[in-house]
Amino acid sequence: MKEEIYVNKPLSFSRIMELLDQYPDLKKISCPPSLYSRISPKYLQALNELGVSVVSIKKKGRPKKYNENDTHKIQKLLKEGMSPREISESMTMPLKTVYYLKDIPLKRGRKMKYNTQKVKKVKNLYTNGIPAKDISRDLKIPLRTVYSLLKR
């Protein structure tokens, strides 16, 4: 029978009894660290007296698809001057994965429509006493956007 099992549900008295009935030759119970920290010390001691050890396993889950060799290859190709898109196509992997493996964060999504100079201009006009409605009309910016730029 099985001597070692993995559990990902809390170990209550009834659950422990159920496991011992189901696996009479049980020697070791593995569980994630978050679950291990919530197991009662009394249960751990009782299981230990029965010859069953409970251990916490750090890494359990989906294995990584790309290894360190892929990461080094991507970094090497970047140093040689290839763009992330070219690397993505040549290695047949998603562009987002190339950015993730090269240890540089992705670029921001949308670009700002109004640059810092335009924002300063709006703020200066407003502080000089010009109403937001007039600023909107003169700079051809929606009124709602003027208020948004003033909050920046």
Side-chain angles (χ1 to χ4, degrees):
M1 290 305 254
K2 277 192 167 183
E3 290 187 359
E4 184 177 334
I5 60 168
Y6 178 80
V7 222
N8 57 4
K9 291 186 178 147
L11 288 176
S12 62
F13 178 75
S14 58
R15 179 84 172 124
I16 291 171
M17 294 309 293
E18 192 178 294
L19 289 172
L20 290 173
D21 286 342
Q22 193 174 358
Y23 306 102
D25 299 331
L26 189 62
K27 299 283 183 222
K28 185 178 178 182
I29 298 176
S30 306
C31 64
S34 59
L35 184 66
Y36 184 81
S37 63
R38 293 183 284 150
I39 299 173
S40 167
K42 290 180 183 180
Y43 292 158
L44 291 173
Q45 185 180 357
L47 283 166
N48 197 23
E49 289 172 6
L50 292 170
V52 179
S53 64
V54 181
V55 293
S56 162
I57 293 180
K58 295 217 190 277
K59 200 82 163 167
K60 186 80 177 177
R62 183 177 177 174
K64 293 189 181 243
K65 190 172 182 181
Y66 303 103
N67 56 28
E68 285 184 38
N69 293 337
D70 294 324
T71 305
H72 293 301
K73 188 174 181 182
I74 288 170
Q75 290 170 351
K76 181 183 170 198
L77 292 172
L78 284 167
K79 285 178 184 172
E80 291 174 1
M82 282 183 79
S83 73
R85 184 171 302 281
E86 292 169 340
I87 295 169
S88 166
E89 291 167 359
S90 70
M91 293 182 71
T92 61
M93 70 172 55
L95 180 61
K96 206 170 190 177
T97 304
V98 173
Y99 277 102
Y100 175 77
L101 292 176
K102 77 172 193 158
D103 295 329
I104 296 174
L106 288 169
K107 295 178 184 173
R108 290 177 90 177
R110 286 178 55 192
K111 291 183 180 176
M112 301 301 287
K113 190 170 183 179
Y114 302 100
N115 59 21
T116 53
Q117 292 172 342
K118 191 79 134 188
V119 175
K120 284 180 184 177
K121 189 173 186 179
V122 169
K123 286 183 178 182
N124 285 338
L125 290 170
Y126 191 76
T127 53
N128 290 338
I130 299 174
K133 195 171 187 178
D134 293 343
I135 296 170
S136 167
R137 186 187 64 238
D138 294 342
L139 298 178
K140 296 182 177 120
I141 299 173
L143 182 60
R144 189 171 175 182
T145 305
V146 170
Y147 285 116
S148 172
L149 295 175
L150 290 171
K151 288 181 182 178
R152 281 196 202 164

